[in-house]
Amino acid sequence: MDISFLQFLLGIMFLTVIFLHLAKKNFTAAVAYGIQSLMICLVFLNSFFETGNIYTYIVVLLNLVVKVILAPLFFIRLIKKHALSFSVNTYLNTPFTLIFIAVLTSIAHSQKFLPLTGIVPTHQALLSIALSSIFLSLFLIINRKGAISQILGILSLENSIVAFIVFAGLEQAPGLQIGVIFNIFVWIIIATIFASMVYKHFGSHDVTSMKNLTD
């Protein structure tokens, strides 16, 4: 697959992370995560075409079922069940959030991280985008007050790390990838159940309303 097309896939993945920062509705955020995971599926599909490894094809199918279809459906079902159409506010307002996004993206593309993004010189641009996505996903987890948004941030971080590993040539064995996807599937089920229990107890997914947990 042409490297410019891989850049296009990672570019879409990067844009979905930014969208997760700006999304005002949980439904669109869940759909954005599904699109982001689809980009990872296509990256693995490219790996399958290059290697012909049947286990990599199984990883593609599992990613498609678990992260592209089931995960968004779990979140959409949770959103509908508790009428959580609108996401909880962020700690920083939109202008400051955009400034931090620009700063973190600049840092990921700076000379400081060149030894990391230059592991594979031909993939430097791809690794810089993946590293930017890692930074922005971490910022998403910190900046969002809503439990659902934070869960999506963690899953986005996992997608970003996977993209970085693949293009850094540190691609893991397909068997291990299958195990990781199974763990993610179990984690998504537990996370949605936990989020549902939190809503029933506090009447909100705003983590700032759970301060009395520290008392």
Side-chain angles (χ1 to χ4, degrees):
M1 195 177 287
D2 189 73
I3 195 162
S4 60
F5 187 69
L6 292 174
Q7 281 183 316
F8 173 72
L9 296 179
L10 279 193
I12 293 178
M13 193 185 90
F14 176 74
L15 290 175
T16 59
V17 184
I18 295 177
F19 182 80
L20 288 174
H21 276 279
L22 304 177
K24 300 298 182 187
K25 292 186 176 181
N26 285 321
F27 176 82
T28 53
V31 173
Y33 170 72
I35 294 171
Q36 183 188 93
S37 298
L38 180 61
M39 298 304 107
I40 294 297
C41 277
L42 293 175
V43 169
F44 274 117
L45 189 62
N46 171 65
S47 180
F48 166 70
F49 286 141
E50 289 181 347
T51 63
N53 189 327
I54 190 65
Y55 291 108
T56 305
Y57 186 65
I58 294 173
V59 171
V60 173
L61 294 179
L62 287 176
N63 263 293
L64 188 66
V65 172
V66 174
K67 295 164 72 175
V68 179
I69 299 174
L70 290 181
L73 286 178
F74 270 118
F75 290 117
I76 290 170
R77 183 171 175 270
L78 183 69
I79 292 163
K80 288 183 176 178
K81 183 178 179 182
H82 298 299
L84 299 169
S85 298
F86 295 96
S87 58
V88 181
N89 289 334
T90 55
Y91 287 99
L92 297 179
N93 59 28
T94 301
F96 275 109
T97 297
L98 290 173
I99 289 171
F100 263 84
I101 287 173
V103 170
L104 290 173
T105 303
S106 299
I107 291 173
H109 285 78
S110 68
Q111 294 292 321
K112 192 175 183 63
F113 285 95
L114 189 58
L116 188 60
T117 56
I119 294 175
V120 180
T122 54
H123 289 170
Q124 186 182 343
L126 298 171
L127 290 171
S128 295
I129 297 172
L131 187 62
S132 300
S133 299
I134 290 173
F135 288 166
L136 296 191
S137 297
L138 283 170
F139 178 46
L140 178 67
I141 298 168
I142 296 169
N143 192 38
R144 280 286 188 178
K145 293 180 181 178
I148 293 177
S149 300
Q150 291 182 348
I151 292 171
L152 289 173
I154 292 170
L155 293 172
S156 174
L157 176 63
E158 188 269 340
N159 273 343
S160 304
I161 291 173
V162 168
F164 189 91
I165 287 173
V166 170
F167 291 112
L170 305 173
E171 193 170 352
Q172 300 166 350
L176 184 58
Q177 286 283 350
I178 292 171
V180 170
I181 293 170
F182 176 76
N183 288 339
I184 290 173
F185 178 63
V186 174
W187 184 82
I188 289 171
I189 293 174
I190 294 173
T192 51
I193 292 173
F194 177 75
S196 184
M197 292 173 65
V198 165
Y199 183 82
K200 286 179 181 176
H201 186 77
F202 293 97
S204 169
H205 276 156
D206 186 342
V207 295
T208 59
S209 66
M210 306 172 195
K211 290 180 179 177
N212 59 343
L213 287 175
T214 60
D215 294 339

